[in-house]
Amino acid sequence: MIYLDNAATTWPKPNQVTEAVAKSMKYYGANPGRSGHKMAIRTSEKVYECRELVADFFGLSNPANVVFTQNSTMALNFAIHGILKAGDHAICTVMDHNSVLRPLFAKSPDVDVSYLGADSEGVIDPSELEALIRPNTRLVAMTHVSNVCGTVTPVEDIAKVCRQHGILFLLDASQSAGIIDIDMQQMKIDLLAAPGHKALYGPMGTGLLCINTDFELAPIMQGGTGSYSKELTQPLELPDRLESGTLNLPGICGLAEGIRYINRIGIANIREHEAKLTAYLLDGLSRIKDINIIGKKNTLGRTGVVSFTHNSKDCVDISSYLSSNFSIATRSMYHCAYKAHEALGTSDGGTVRVSLGVFNTLSEIKILLYALKNMM
Amino acid sequence: MNNVLIVFASATTANRVKSVLRKSFGIDSALVQTPKALGVSSGCSYCLKMSAEHLETAWKLVSSNGLSSKGAFDSKDYRKLK
C-alpha cells in the first residue's frame, strides 16, 4: 500500500513504537498510580517518563501540566468546555476542524462565537483578530495547520494579541505537532491540544492537552484518579484534575517512543523531507490536465497536506480509483472541516486529500502522479 | 542510616520530585504507597522513600516549588519530621 493519509493517522509507525506497545502489555500491565506493588510503581514511572518527554517537546517546565487524553478532540473539548461559561465570547476560524467548531457550537446560545475568515488559499490574517475581540472574549481557539490544505497560520502573532488582551489562546496542533517546532512558552500558547497518533507517531487512542496557564479548567469528567480517594470532589491539582479513569498505558508507552523517534531524526529534518516530497507533488499535480491544487501552490507557508479537485471527476471516485487500482490511500470529501471547504471554494464536492509522512518516498509520489495522469 | 518517607497526594507529584532529585541532585529514591499507619493519607497516596541524609535537600525542593506534600516521616517509627 502507498499510504498517503497521514493527516488522518500516521502509518506505519516506527518499529520502536510497536515494540514499546507490545512490551508494555507484558511488563507494564498494572494500572498506574493506583496500587503500591512493584509493577504498578514501575508503570506509573513509565507514564511520568512520557509526561516529561511531552513537556520537554512542547517547552513546558512542569510535566504535571501534560494531560493525557484519548485524542486531540477530547483535549479540545476539555479545554473549550473547561474554560467557557455562559456570557463568554470565543473566537475561532473558518479553517478549523469540527473538533474545535462543534464544541464551540454546542456552547451556543450561552456562548457567542465569532469566526476569523480565510482567503481562497486558506490563509488567516492575524491583523483581523483585533476587530473581533469584545470585552467578554474569553478564548481564541484555532488550528495551527489546516487539515484540508496544509496552510500554516502564523500563530505567534495571534498569541501576542491574545496576551495583550488577557484572552486565553488554545492551539489545535493536530496537524502541526511533530512537524513544526512548537515552544509554548516562547510562542505564548496557553493551551495546546494534539493527537498522539498523527505526526507524533504514537498509537491511536492517545492525545494530549498541554497547559501553560494558571487558569483552572473546570473538569468535565469526574472519577477515580488514584488520589484523595476519601474526597467526593475532583482533585484540583494537575493532571489528576482532568485525568479520571485508567490511562491508555500501552498507547502512552508507544507515544513516548514516537516522540523519541522524532527527537532522534529532528523536526527540521522531518519538515525538510516532507517539503521535498510536497514540492515534487505540487509540481507534478500542476502539470496534470484538469487537476486543480487547492490552497498554496508552493511549499511556502504550508505542510505536506495537499488537496486537489478534478474538473470532471468526483473526488470520491478518484480516491476509490487510486485505492482499487494502485493501493494508494487518500481521503476525499470534506475532512470534518466544511467551513474550510467553503472558504477554499470546494464546498460543492470536496477535495481529494493527499497527506505525507516521514515514511513516504519520492517513488510513491511518482506512482501517485502516474496514476492520476492515467485516469480514464 | 534511617530512611524517610515524603508523602504526596498523587503519583505524578511523587514521580516529579523523584525525577528532579535524581537528575539535579543525583539522589535516588523509591516510589512506594503511603503506609496507612502514617494517618495522613486520604486514600491512595504515594511516598518517596530515601535515605534520611537527603531529607533537607528533598524538602527544600518540595517547599520551594510549592508542591503539595503531607509531610515527611521516619520510615521506621513514622515520627513526623517535617
Side-chain angles (χ1 to χ4, degrees):
Chain A
M1 180 196 281
I2 294 176
Y3 187 80
L4 300 175
D5 196 21
N6 290 282
T9 196
T10 48
W11 185 87
K13 305 294 182 192
N15 287 337
Q16 300 92 321
V17 171
T18 315
E19 285 157 15
V21 172
K23 186 176 176 183
S24 76
M25 302 287 290
K26 222 171 170 178
Y27 299 108
Y28 301 101
N31 201 325
R34 298 297 189 269
S35 309
H37 55 80
K38 285 180 194 166
M39 190 161 61
I41 299 288
R42 213 164 57 219
T43 307
S44 86
E45 288 166 351
K46 254 317 189 196
V47 172
Y48 189 76
E49 226 175 78
C50 190
R51 285 191 213 279
E52 280 186 317
L53 279 165
V54 172
D56 192 57
F57 195 78
F58 291 116
L60 275 180
S61 58
N62 185 355
N65 283 16
V66 172
V67 176
F68 290 119
T69 61
Q70 190 174 290
N71 44 42
S72 190
T73 297
M74 184 180 271
L76 288 161
N77 271 267
F78 278 9
I80 289 166
H81 290 294
I83 289 168
L84 293 170
K85 302 280 175 288
D88 286 342
H89 171 244
I91 301 170
C92 61
T93 83
V94 296
M95 297 305 293
D96 282 311
H97 186 276
N98 277 343
S99 53
V100 171
L101 301 179
R102 281 181 175 172
L104 285 174
F105 185 75
K107 301 296 280 181
S108 64
D110 295 338
V111 172
D112 261 344
V113 183
S114 299
Y115 299 87
L116 206 48
D119 69 13
S120 60
E121 287 191 331
V123 178
I124 307 250
D125 183 354
S127 67
E128 291 179 8
L129 174 61
E130 199 80 51
L132 294 179
I133 291 173
R134 303 175 193 174
N136 60 334
T137 304
R138 169 78 76 178
L139 176 71
V140 170
M142 66 174 53
T143 189
H144 196 174
V145 170
S146 166
N147 74 306
V148 177
C149 61
T151 310
V152 181
T153 297
V155 293
E156 294 95 320
D157 298 336
I158 301 279
K160 216 181 279 179
V161 174
C162 290
R163 275 287 160 98
Q164 281 163 4
H165 289 270
I167 298 168
L168 289 169
F169 179 44
L170 165 63
L171 184 66
D172 175 7
S174 295
Q175 300 294 336
S176 59
I179 297 172
I180 295 175
D181 211 356
I182 299 172
D183 185 316
M184 291 180 73
Q185 310 268 25
Q186 253 179 39
M187 293 163 80
K188 298 181 178 26
I189 298 165
D190 297 309
L191 304 117
L192 178 146
H197 66 95
K198 296 188 200 245
L200 293 180
Y201 291 91
M204 282 185 276
T206 58
L208 306 163
L209 178 62
C210 298
I211 299 171
N212 182 34
T213 169
D214 291 332
F215 183 90
E216 291 181 340
L217 274 67
I220 59 171
M221 207 167 94
Q222 288 83 19
T225 55
S227 57
Y228 302 98
S229 290
K230 284 186 183 172
E231 293 165 32
L232 290 179
T233 50
Q234 188 75 4
L236 292 177
E237 60 190 73
L238 289 172
D240 297 19
R241 184 189 186 95
L242 302 176
E243 265 181 21
S244 296
T246 300
L247 294 174
N248 178 1
L249 193 280
I252 289 168
C253 288
L255 174 57
E257 286 308 314
I259 293 173
R260 286 191 177 107
Y261 179 81
I262 297 166
N263 285 339
R264 271 196 301 276
I265 296 183
I267 280 195
N269 292 326
I270 291 173
R271 188 97 195 261
E272 194 189 324
H273 168 75
E274 291 185 12
K276 269 195 193 128
L277 298 183
T278 305
Y280 193 88
L281 172 62
L282 290 170
D283 181 68
L285 287 173
S286 71
R287 294 169 196 275
I288 301 174
K289 190 170 168 291
D290 293 325
I291 280 191
N292 312 296
I293 297 168
I294 304 300
K296 287 172 166 283
K297 312 292 186 274
N298 58 44
T299 56
L300 284 175
R302 61 125 76 241
T303 65
V305 175
V306 176
S307 261
F308 63 88
T309 59
H310 192 282
N311 289 340
S312 58
K313 294 190 190 308
D314 181 80
C315 65
V316 173
D317 290 342
I318 295 173
S319 281
S320 179
Y321 157 80
L322 290 172
S323 178
S324 308
N325 295 283
F326 292 90
S327 289
I328 296 174
T330 59
R331 181 181 172 187
S332 278
M333 284 304 280
Y334 299 122
H335 313 99
C336 300
Y338 187 70
K339 277 196 176 300
H341 281 279
E342 285 180 320
L344 295 166
T346 53
S347 56
D348 182 23
T351 62
V352 179
R353 183 188 71 186
V354 169
S355 45
L356 307 174
V358 77
F359 293 108
N360 287 127
T361 65
L362 201 56
S363 307
E364 290 177 331
I365 305 303
K366 287 178 179 174
I367 293 171
L368 168 68
L369 292 170
Y370 171 85
L372 290 171
K373 261 186 240 163
N374 291 283
M375 263 190 310
M376 301 289 277
Chain B
M1 184 170 277
N2 279 352
N3 288 323
V4 296
L5 300 169
I6 303 182
V7 183
F8 300 96
S10 80
T12 301
T13 309
N15 270 309
R16 186 179 173 202
V17 175
K18 180 176 192 247
S19 178
V20 175
L21 284 174
R22 190 178 68 241
K23 289 176 183 170
S24 301
F25 298 96
I27 294 172
D28 281 325
S29 57
L31 189 67
V32 298
Q33 198 160 24
T34 304
K36 192 179 170 194
L38 276 185
V40 292
S41 165
S42 60
C44 311
S45 75
Y46 291 86
C47 305
L48 281 187
K49 185 176 183 179
M50 66 192 76
S51 171
E53 66 179 311
H54 301 308
L55 174 59
E56 291 310 316
T57 305
W59 192 254
K60 196 175 172 190
L61 176 71
V62 169
S63 46
S64 64
N65 283 280
L67 298 172
S68 170
S69 167
K70 297 192 182 249
F73 301 81
D74 185 283
S75 68
K76 278 214 164 70
D77 58 23
Y78 298 154
R79 187 171 30 102
K80 189 164 187 179
L81 302 170
K82 296 281 185 190

